[in-house]
Amino acid sequence: MINHIVSIKDIDKETILDIIQYAAKIEANPEVYAEKQKGKILSTIFFEPSTRTRLSFESAMLRLGGKVIGIADPKTSSLKKGESISDTIRMAAAYSDIIVMRHFLEGSGRVAAEYSSVPVVSGGTGIQEHPTQALLDLYTIYKEFGRIDNLTIGLLGDLRYGRTIPSLLYAFAKFNNVKIYLYSPQQLRARMTVLSDVEDKLEYRVEDNLEDTIDQLDVLYVTRVQKERFPDEQAYERVKGSFIISPDTLKNAKENMIVMHPLPRVGEIEYDVDDLPQARYFQQAKNGVWTRMSILDKLLEERK
Amino acid sequence: MSEERTMIVSKIERGTVIDKIPAGKSLQLIYMLHITGDEMKTVAVGIHVNSASMGKKDILKLTNRDLSGAELNKIWLIAPDAVISTIKDYQVSDKRPISSMRSGNEFEGVLKCNNPTCATNFNEPVKNKFILMDRDPLLVRCYYCDRVMIEDNIKDQLGM
Ligand SMILES: [Zn+2]
């Protein structure tokens, strides 16, 4: 196992499978784990607000019987006053048994891990990575197909600044024969440095048109295309429409294809899709709690 | 021995010899080590010297000069097969390939990350650390933020 989770790059395939298979065990019998980490404390340190990720981790720790302390509002806390990551983490490590941190700077996860005497789990580091989101996404896919190998996965939306995209690509690259189709506006294509990391291990294709290739996909993973990423409103409006999923978009999709989204959505998936058999994004959010229970429990047990 | 005869200065009393530098790279190294000629120390530079193992090579002899860990890293970036000799009282007191003086593909103390939103640029007590991806031209990656920097981006920092 590992001491911290700050990058998917640090985690091998066996550990990924171990985490998702353990998440499945927890989901099947949550009551067995209800007091597993009794007396342990999780610190949630969010230098950048994120209600969902924080709540998901808090729920996970409480369901393990542990307790949660945290700094949730960077505007009113010392985090805003320029306290360094290293000092904040040393303080949190003194108060708790495990730390979840989100930070708007890339590299913050590795700095935190270096200064922490307790396990650090990244809740997102700038545009660099969001490893636990990728792990819960893999759990969702694994639950559906019973495997990660031999699947064709479409990633759609903001592939450049979306912090989960590198984590997902690094994760898929560890499995066998995963094909990736990348759909995004030109200015939001996946970063070359990320693609060059996986190109030997993963077959990926930059695709312009979802309609022509959707029939090949097992998974369609949709992410938000944010207005702020475009130079002006018109540029955003021009591309926006091509990255919205409606029931019509899915008409040629395989029957057992699933649509995923890390949420929150802002119109990328129409509400009409929610009732279709392919929609998986709400279950995906729920899977986040099981996956994070698995991660927290494994890291805490490792230290015993 | 023929190499030695091509050198203008054959033996130094105290200092460092950097041997087996790729032919033509020694001037770059002189800049990178901030050897300006103002220090009143003798420096002998051999460029395109015949070498049994390399065909042609460069060699630097620096009198009264030691190398820091960061400087060793700089030399390793440019000349991974360099052999470093320490000279005391006209004798070689230590002679080792640079590859045995440091390990792995990671290096510290030479570069700062050029990603403005890298945590290492924000008053943290960490040492910058990079991973060498390619040498000619240089390609390095920040260990912390994953930013890749190409030779053109780091020339100024290295004094190249
Ligand atoms: Zn960096």
Side-chain angles (χ1 to χ4, degrees), chain B residues 2 6 12 19 21 29 31 45 50 54 61 69 85 88 99 101-102 105-106 109 118 120 122 126 132 135 138 160:
Chain B
S2 66
T6 62
I12 58 178
D19 197 1
I21 300 165
L29 266 187
Y31 285 118
V45 186
N50 287 321
M54 300 170 73
K61 290 191 176 190
S85 302
K88 282 176 185 151
S99 56
M101 300 168 80
R102 39 152 298 117
N105 259 6
E106 292 179 358
C118 175
T120 62
F122 286 82
V126 293
L132 178 69
R135 218 172 229 119
L138 281 176
M160 285 166 80

Side-chain angles (χ1 to χ4, degrees), chain A residues 7 9 82-87 90 104-108 110-111 114-115 128-129 170 193-194 196-197, chain B residues 108 115-127 129 133 141-149:
Chain A
S7 168
K9 287 188 194 182
E83 185 171 3
S84 67
I85 297 163
S86 44
D87 282 358
R90 278 181 283 202
F104 48 86
L105 294 174
E106 293 87 52
S108 50
R110 294 220 183 272
V111 172
E114 238 167 86
Y115 285 90
Q128 186 181 14
E129 272 203 64
Y170 297 147
T193 52
V194 175
S196 67
D197 279 344
Chain B
E108 292 181 348
N115 172 10
T117 54
C118 175
T120 62
N121 289 323
F122 286 82
N123 213 13
E124 298 293 341
V126 293
K127 267 191 187 159
K129 187 150 99 185
M133 299 168 73
R141 172 194 291 272
C142 174
Y143 162 78
Y144 288 92
C145 78
D146 290 323
R147 170 67 67 101
V148 171
M149 308 199 296

